[in-house]
Amino acid sequence: MEALQKKIISVTLVAALVVLAVAQIQKNPVFTGAEETQSVGKDTYSQAEADVIFWYDDASYDTFFALAAEEYFKETGTKVLPVYENSTEYMTAVYDKTMQDDGFPDVYLISGDNLEKAYLYGLVAVNEAADAYESAAKNAVTASKYSGKMLGYPLSYNTCLFIYQNGYFEKAPASMQDIIDYSNENEPGENVEYMVEWDVNDAFYDFPFISNSVTFEKKEPQILEVVYEEEMYQKDLEFFEGLLSSFSVNAETVSEEGILENFIEGRTLCAIIDTDSLYRLEGCSYSLTKIPDLNEELKTSVCAMTEMLVVNEFSEKQKQAADFAKFATVSMAEELHETSGHYSVFKNTDADMVEKTAYETYEEAVLAPNSQDAKDFWVGLKETIAKYF
């Protein structure tokens, strides 16, 4: 009888413990089935041998490329190993490693203005999946071509936009002259220190001020001619000088980080920033538009950069590398902005007004020429602007 009682008590305790355990798991689960599968998938990916090596030189893509590689592995079983190559001479590093046959990339990220250099190095294979980019921005396709051939797999873009504080302007300023007039007629708030800010030390942001007087002409590969309309160019520079006399711009202290901080804190009313920085303003109340003209006579255009993946012509795994390049740029397009802050060359299906404005601006922008000669233009513009400070 005593043994039977002990057995009943024991069974009851076990049953109670099972109930408590189940309740605890339901209340505070360690992982779901999906999480377990994902964990196993990551473990399998991390333990697998690399099939394709992928290089990139911008750390802001870390999360995105890691995710793209894992998702690609799940779909194909092919492991792509993303490698962040932090080098001031990135293209030279790609070339040297390739020539040495020493762990060189099968596919790598470049900016479109380096496409000619990569091609002349012999490091770019033709993109055989051009049809996959028919719905991408036209400028993205153009930037990915060289010598009549589609080479790059366009990923993202960067161009300039104009942002301004809500509450100061009834509508977007139509010109820089309007902003000068506004500052002459209105007393800024107590906290306001700057009317307009932009990184004057970076020619990318200075380009709109002389854009209407400059044309890039590439009549044949490897030869770029920069054509100036001299009379208009002088008018642009005169307006630029007048603009600087109207507003306080300190070339020695200005920085992209400082401009964003000043704008967020309300110390700056207007700013020229790039599309890669827009994610920093999420949660802020502001308006944005395309860069205003200088005045009624002097129009403006912005310049645009396009980042793309290219397949190394020397790779023995070109087919796999090309398939990943297409996957990362097309199939993963809607994951790009959330994981990197960059906008895809494919407009998101539920794009907000910020992305729509950025995308339209990119489509109308002057593409940074994919020529080695372009460096002379950018250096010259920076030196010209520096004379005014």
Short mmCIF file of all heavy atoms in Angstrom, two decimals, residues 4-49:
data_model
loop_
_atom_site.label_atom_id
_atom_site.label_comp_id
_atom_site.label_asym_id
_atom_site.label_seq_id
_atom_site.Cartn_x
_atom_site.Cartn_y
_atom_site.Cartn_z
N LEU A 4 2.44 1.65 -3.31
CA LEU A 4 1.49 2.13 -4.30
C LEU A 4 1.28 3.63 -4.15
O LEU A 4 1.22 4.37 -5.12
CB LEU A 4 0.14 1.39 -4.12
CG LEU A 4 -0.98 1.80 -5.11
CD1 LEU A 4 -0.55 1.54 -6.53
CD2 LEU A 4 -2.26 1.02 -4.77
N GLN A 5 1.19 4.10 -2.86
CA GLN A 5 1.03 5.54 -2.61
C GLN A 5 2.23 6.32 -3.15
O GLN A 5 2.08 7.38 -3.75
CB GLN A 5 0.87 5.78 -1.10
CG GLN A 5 -0.49 5.36 -0.59
CD GLN A 5 -0.59 5.53 0.92
OE1 GLN A 5 0.43 5.51 1.62
NE2 GLN A 5 -1.80 5.69 1.42
N LYS A 6 3.44 5.76 -2.91
CA LYS A 6 4.66 6.43 -3.40
C LYS A 6 4.65 6.52 -4.92
O LYS A 6 5.05 7.51 -5.51
CB LYS A 6 5.90 5.67 -2.93
CG LYS A 6 6.21 5.88 -1.46
CD LYS A 6 7.48 5.13 -1.07
CE LYS A 6 7.81 5.35 0.39
NZ LYS A 6 9.03 4.63 0.80
N LYS A 7 4.16 5.42 -5.56
CA LYS A 7 4.13 5.39 -7.02
C LYS A 7 3.15 6.43 -7.56
O LYS A 7 3.44 7.15 -8.53
CB LYS A 7 3.71 3.99 -7.50
CG LYS A 7 3.82 3.82 -9.02
CD LYS A 7 3.54 2.38 -9.40
CE LYS A 7 3.68 2.21 -10.91
NZ LYS A 7 3.40 0.83 -11.34
N ILE A 8 1.98 6.54 -6.91
CA ILE A 8 0.98 7.53 -7.32
C ILE A 8 1.51 8.94 -7.15
O ILE A 8 1.36 9.79 -8.03
CB ILE A 8 -0.33 7.33 -6.52
CG1 ILE A 8 -1.00 6.00 -6.91
CG2 ILE A 8 -1.28 8.50 -6.75
CD1 ILE A 8 -2.16 5.63 -6.04
N ILE A 9 2.14 9.20 -6.01
CA ILE A 9 2.72 10.53 -5.74
C ILE A 9 3.78 10.87 -6.79
O ILE A 9 3.84 11.97 -7.31
CB ILE A 9 3.32 10.57 -4.32
CG1 ILE A 9 2.21 10.50 -3.28
CG2 ILE A 9 4.16 11.84 -4.13
CD1 ILE A 9 2.69 10.31 -1.86
N SER A 10 4.62 9.86 -7.10
CA SER A 10 5.70 10.06 -8.08
C SER A 10 5.14 10.41 -9.44
O SER A 10 5.60 11.34 -10.11
CB SER A 10 6.55 8.79 -8.18
OG SER A 10 7.55 8.95 -9.15
N VAL A 11 4.11 9.65 -9.88
CA VAL A 11 3.49 9.90 -11.19
C VAL A 11 2.87 11.29 -11.21
O VAL A 11 2.97 12.05 -12.18
CB VAL A 11 2.43 8.83 -11.50
CG1 VAL A 11 1.63 9.23 -12.74
CG2 VAL A 11 3.12 7.49 -11.71
N THR A 12 2.20 11.64 -10.08
CA THR A 12 1.55 12.95 -9.98
C THR A 12 2.57 14.07 -10.09
O THR A 12 2.36 15.08 -10.77
CB THR A 12 0.79 13.06 -8.65
OG1 THR A 12 -0.14 11.99 -8.56
CG2 THR A 12 0.05 14.40 -8.56
N LEU A 13 3.73 13.91 -9.39
CA LEU A 13 4.78 14.94 -9.43
C LEU A 13 5.34 15.11 -10.84
O LEU A 13 5.56 16.23 -11.30
CB LEU A 13 5.90 14.58 -8.46
CG LEU A 13 5.62 14.83 -6.98
CD1 LEU A 13 6.73 14.21 -6.12
CD2 LEU A 13 5.49 16.33 -6.70
N VAL A 14 5.57 13.97 -11.51
CA VAL A 14 6.11 14.02 -12.87
C VAL A 14 5.13 14.75 -13.79
O VAL A 14 5.51 15.61 -14.58
CB VAL A 14 6.38 12.61 -13.41
CG1 VAL A 14 6.69 12.66 -14.91
CG2 VAL A 14 7.54 11.98 -12.65
N ALA A 15 3.82 14.40 -13.65
CA ALA A 15 2.80 15.05 -14.48
C ALA A 15 2.76 16.54 -14.22
O ALA A 15 2.65 17.36 -15.15
CB ALA A 15 1.43 14.43 -14.19
N ALA A 16 2.87 16.91 -12.93
CA ALA A 16 2.85 18.33 -12.57
C ALA A 16 4.04 19.07 -13.16
O ALA A 16 3.92 20.19 -13.65
CB ALA A 16 2.83 18.48 -11.04
N LEU A 17 5.21 18.41 -13.09
CA LEU A 17 6.42 19.03 -13.63
C LEU A 17 6.31 19.22 -15.14
O LEU A 17 6.76 20.23 -15.69
CB LEU A 17 7.64 18.17 -13.30
CG LEU A 17 8.09 18.21 -11.83
CD1 LEU A 17 9.17 17.15 -11.58
CD2 LEU A 17 8.61 19.59 -11.46
N VAL A 18 5.72 18.22 -15.82
CA VAL A 18 5.53 18.32 -17.27
C VAL A 18 4.62 19.50 -17.61
O VAL A 18 4.90 20.29 -18.51
CB VAL A 18 4.95 17.02 -17.85
CG1 VAL A 18 4.50 17.23 -19.30
CG2 VAL A 18 5.98 15.90 -17.75
N VAL A 19 3.51 19.64 -16.86
CA VAL A 19 2.57 20.74 -17.08
C VAL A 19 3.27 22.07 -16.87
O VAL A 19 3.14 23.01 -17.65
CB VAL A 19 1.36 20.61 -16.15
CG1 VAL A 19 0.50 21.89 -16.22
CG2 VAL A 19 0.53 19.40 -16.53
N LEU A 20 4.05 22.17 -15.78
CA LEU A 20 4.77 23.42 -15.49
C LEU A 20 5.78 23.73 -16.58
O LEU A 20 5.94 24.88 -16.99
CB LEU A 20 5.49 23.30 -14.14
CG LEU A 20 4.61 23.43 -12.89
CD1 LEU A 20 5.40 23.09 -11.64
CD2 LEU A 20 4.04 24.85 -12.79
N ALA A 21 6.46 22.69 -17.05
CA ALA A 21 7.48 22.89 -18.09
C ALA A 21 6.84 23.39 -19.38
O ALA A 21 7.34 24.32 -20.02
CB ALA A 21 8.23 21.58 -18.35
N VAL A 22 5.71 22.76 -19.75
CA VAL A 22 5.01 23.18 -20.97
C VAL A 22 4.54 24.61 -20.84
O VAL A 22 4.67 25.43 -21.75
CB VAL A 22 3.82 22.25 -21.27
CG1 VAL A 22 2.95 22.83 -22.38
CG2 VAL A 22 4.32 20.86 -21.64
N ALA A 23 3.98 24.94 -19.67
CA ALA A 23 3.49 26.30 -19.43
C ALA A 23 4.62 27.31 -19.52
O ALA A 23 4.46 28.39 -20.07
CB ALA A 23 2.82 26.37 -18.05
N GLN A 24 5.76 26.95 -18.93
CA GLN A 24 6.91 27.85 -18.96
C GLN A 24 7.40 28.07 -20.39
O GLN A 24 7.75 29.18 -20.77
CB GLN A 24 8.04 27.28 -18.09
CG GLN A 24 9.26 28.20 -17.97
CD GLN A 24 8.91 29.50 -17.28
OE1 GLN A 24 7.95 29.58 -16.52
NE2 GLN A 24 9.68 30.55 -17.57
N ILE A 25 7.45 27.00 -21.19
CA ILE A 25 7.90 27.11 -22.59
C ILE A 25 6.95 28.00 -23.36
O ILE A 25 7.37 28.85 -24.14
CB ILE A 25 7.99 25.72 -23.24
CG1 ILE A 25 9.18 24.96 -22.64
CG2 ILE A 25 8.15 25.82 -24.75
CD1 ILE A 25 9.27 23.51 -23.08
N GLN A 26 5.62 27.79 -23.10
CA GLN A 26 4.65 28.62 -23.82
C GLN A 26 4.75 30.07 -23.42
O GLN A 26 4.59 30.98 -24.23
CB GLN A 26 3.23 28.10 -23.55
CG GLN A 26 2.96 26.75 -24.21
CD GLN A 26 1.61 26.20 -23.82
OE1 GLN A 26 1.07 26.56 -22.77
NE2 GLN A 26 1.08 25.32 -24.64
N LYS A 27 5.04 30.33 -22.15
CA LYS A 27 5.15 31.70 -21.65
C LYS A 27 6.44 32.36 -22.11
O LYS A 27 6.46 33.53 -22.46
CB LYS A 27 5.09 31.66 -20.11
CG LYS A 27 5.24 33.03 -19.47
CD LYS A 27 5.25 32.89 -17.96
CE LYS A 27 5.50 34.24 -17.30
NZ LYS A 27 5.61 34.11 -15.84
N ASN A 28 7.52 31.61 -22.12
CA ASN A 28 8.82 32.18 -22.42
C ASN A 28 9.61 31.23 -23.30
O ASN A 28 10.57 30.62 -22.87
CB ASN A 28 9.56 32.43 -21.08
CG ASN A 28 10.82 33.23 -21.29
OD1 ASN A 28 10.94 33.92 -22.28
ND2 ASN A 28 11.75 33.10 -20.36
N PRO A 29 9.24 31.10 -24.60
CA PRO A 29 9.88 30.11 -25.46
C PRO A 29 11.34 30.45 -25.73
O PRO A 29 11.70 31.62 -25.85
CB PRO A 29 9.05 30.19 -26.75
CG PRO A 29 8.45 31.56 -26.74
CD PRO A 29 8.21 31.87 -25.29
N VAL A 30 12.17 29.43 -25.85
CA VAL A 30 13.59 29.64 -26.16
C VAL A 30 13.73 30.03 -27.62
O VAL A 30 14.44 30.94 -27.97
CB VAL A 30 14.38 28.34 -25.87
CG1 VAL A 30 15.84 28.53 -26.25
CG2 VAL A 30 14.25 27.98 -24.39
N PHE A 31 13.04 29.37 -28.54
CA PHE A 31 13.03 29.72 -29.95
C PHE A 31 11.85 29.05 -30.62
O PHE A 31 11.31 28.08 -30.11
CB PHE A 31 14.33 29.31 -30.65
CG PHE A 31 14.72 27.87 -30.42
CD1 PHE A 31 14.06 26.84 -31.08
CD2 PHE A 31 15.74 27.54 -29.52
CE1 PHE A 31 14.42 25.52 -30.87
CE2 PHE A 31 16.10 26.23 -29.32
CZ PHE A 31 15.45 25.21 -29.99
N THR A 32 11.46 29.60 -31.74
CA THR A 32 10.38 28.98 -32.51
C THR A 32 11.02 28.05 -33.53
O THR A 32 12.23 28.07 -33.74
CB THR A 32 9.56 30.05 -33.25
OG1 THR A 32 10.42 30.69 -34.20
CG2 THR A 32 8.99 31.06 -32.30
N GLY A 33 10.18 27.29 -34.20
CA GLY A 33 10.70 26.39 -35.22
C GLY A 33 11.44 27.15 -36.31
O GLY A 33 12.48 26.73 -36.79
N ALA A 34 10.90 28.34 -36.69
CA ALA A 34 11.53 29.15 -37.74
C ALA A 34 12.91 29.61 -37.30
O ALA A 34 13.88 29.60 -38.06
CB ALA A 34 10.66 30.36 -38.07
N GLU A 35 13.00 30.04 -36.01
CA GLU A 35 14.29 30.51 -35.49
C GLU A 35 15.29 29.37 -35.45
O GLU A 35 16.47 29.55 -35.72
CB GLU A 35 14.10 31.10 -34.09
CG GLU A 35 13.39 32.45 -34.12
CD GLU A 35 13.04 32.93 -32.73
OE1 GLU A 35 12.88 32.07 -31.84
OE2 GLU A 35 12.93 34.15 -32.53
N GLU A 36 14.79 28.15 -35.11
CA GLU A 36 15.68 27.00 -35.07
C GLU A 36 16.22 26.71 -36.47
O GLU A 36 17.41 26.49 -36.66
CB GLU A 36 14.93 25.79 -34.52
CG GLU A 36 15.82 24.54 -34.41
CD GLU A 36 15.06 23.35 -33.85
OE1 GLU A 36 13.83 23.37 -33.88
OE2 GLU A 36 15.72 22.42 -33.39
N THR A 37 15.33 26.76 -37.46
CA THR A 37 15.74 26.50 -38.84
C THR A 37 16.75 27.54 -39.31
O THR A 37 17.74 27.22 -39.93
CB THR A 37 14.50 26.54 -39.78
OG1 THR A 37 13.56 25.57 -39.31
CG2 THR A 37 14.89 26.24 -41.21
N GLN A 38 16.47 28.83 -38.95
CA GLN A 38 17.36 29.91 -39.34
C GLN A 38 18.73 29.70 -38.69
O GLN A 38 19.76 29.91 -39.32
CB GLN A 38 16.77 31.25 -38.90
CG GLN A 38 17.56 32.44 -39.41
CD GLN A 38 16.90 33.75 -39.00
OE1 GLN A 38 16.22 33.82 -37.98
NE2 GLN A 38 17.12 34.79 -39.77
N SER A 39 18.72 29.30 -37.39
CA SER A 39 19.98 29.07 -36.69
C SER A 39 20.78 27.95 -37.34
O SER A 39 21.98 28.07 -37.56
CB SER A 39 19.70 28.74 -35.22
OG SER A 39 20.90 28.43 -34.55
N VAL A 40 20.08 26.87 -37.68
CA VAL A 40 20.75 25.75 -38.34
C VAL A 40 21.29 26.19 -39.69
O VAL A 40 22.40 25.86 -40.09
CB VAL A 40 19.75 24.56 -38.51
CG1 VAL A 40 20.37 23.49 -39.41
CG2 VAL A 40 19.39 23.98 -37.16
N GLY A 41 20.49 27.02 -40.42
CA GLY A 41 20.93 27.53 -41.72
C GLY A 41 22.19 28.35 -41.61
O GLY A 41 23.10 28.22 -42.42
N LYS A 42 22.25 29.21 -40.58
CA LYS A 42 23.44 30.05 -40.38
C LYS A 42 24.64 29.20 -40.04
O LYS A 42 25.76 29.45 -40.51
CB LYS A 42 23.18 31.08 -39.27
CG LYS A 42 22.34 32.25 -39.72
CD LYS A 42 22.32 33.33 -38.65
CE LYS A 42 21.57 34.56 -39.16
NZ LYS A 42 21.57 35.65 -38.18
N ASP A 43 24.42 28.21 -39.20
CA ASP A 43 25.53 27.31 -38.84
C ASP A 43 26.05 26.59 -40.07
O ASP A 43 27.26 26.47 -40.27
CB ASP A 43 25.06 26.29 -37.78
CG ASP A 43 24.85 26.93 -36.41
OD1 ASP A 43 25.35 28.06 -36.22
OD2 ASP A 43 24.18 26.32 -35.57
N THR A 44 25.14 26.11 -40.89
CA THR A 44 25.54 25.41 -42.12
C THR A 44 26.31 26.35 -43.03
O THR A 44 27.33 25.98 -43.61
CB THR A 44 24.29 24.87 -42.87
OG1 THR A 44 23.52 24.07 -41.98
CG2 THR A 44 24.70 24.05 -44.07
N TYR A 45 25.82 27.58 -43.16
CA TYR A 45 26.49 28.58 -44.00
C TYR A 45 27.90 28.87 -43.48
O TYR A 45 28.87 28.88 -44.24
CB TYR A 45 25.68 29.87 -44.04
CG TYR A 45 26.41 31.02 -44.68
CD1 TYR A 45 26.44 31.16 -46.07
CD2 TYR A 45 27.07 31.98 -43.90
CE1 TYR A 45 27.12 32.22 -46.66
CE2 TYR A 45 27.75 33.03 -44.50
CZ TYR A 45 27.77 33.15 -45.87
OH TYR A 45 28.45 34.19 -46.45
N SER A 46 28.01 29.09 -42.16
CA SER A 46 29.31 29.46 -41.59
C SER A 46 30.33 28.33 -41.69
O SER A 46 31.53 28.57 -41.80
CB SER A 46 29.15 29.90 -40.13
OG SER A 46 28.66 28.82 -39.35
N GLN A 47 29.85 27.07 -41.68
CA GLN A 47 30.75 25.92 -41.73
C GLN A 47 31.12 25.51 -43.16
O GLN A 47 32.09 24.79 -43.38
CB GLN A 47 30.11 24.74 -41.01
CG GLN A 47 29.98 24.95 -39.50
CD GLN A 47 29.07 23.93 -38.84
OE1 GLN A 47 28.68 22.94 -39.47
NE2 GLN A 47 28.71 24.16 -37.58
N ALA A 48 30.36 26.02 -44.12
CA ALA A 48 30.61 25.63 -45.51
C ALA A 48 31.86 26.30 -46.07
O ALA A 48 32.25 27.39 -45.63
CB ALA A 48 29.40 25.99 -46.37
N GLU A 49 32.49 25.67 -47.04
CA GLU A 49 33.64 26.25 -47.74
C GLU A 49 33.14 27.33 -48.69
O GLU A 49 32.10 27.20 -49.31
CB GLU A 49 34.38 25.17 -48.54
CG GLU A 49 35.08 24.12 -47.68
CD GLU A 49 36.36 24.65 -47.04
OE1 GLU A 49 36.97 25.56 -47.63
OE2 GLU A 49 36.71 24.18 -45.95
#
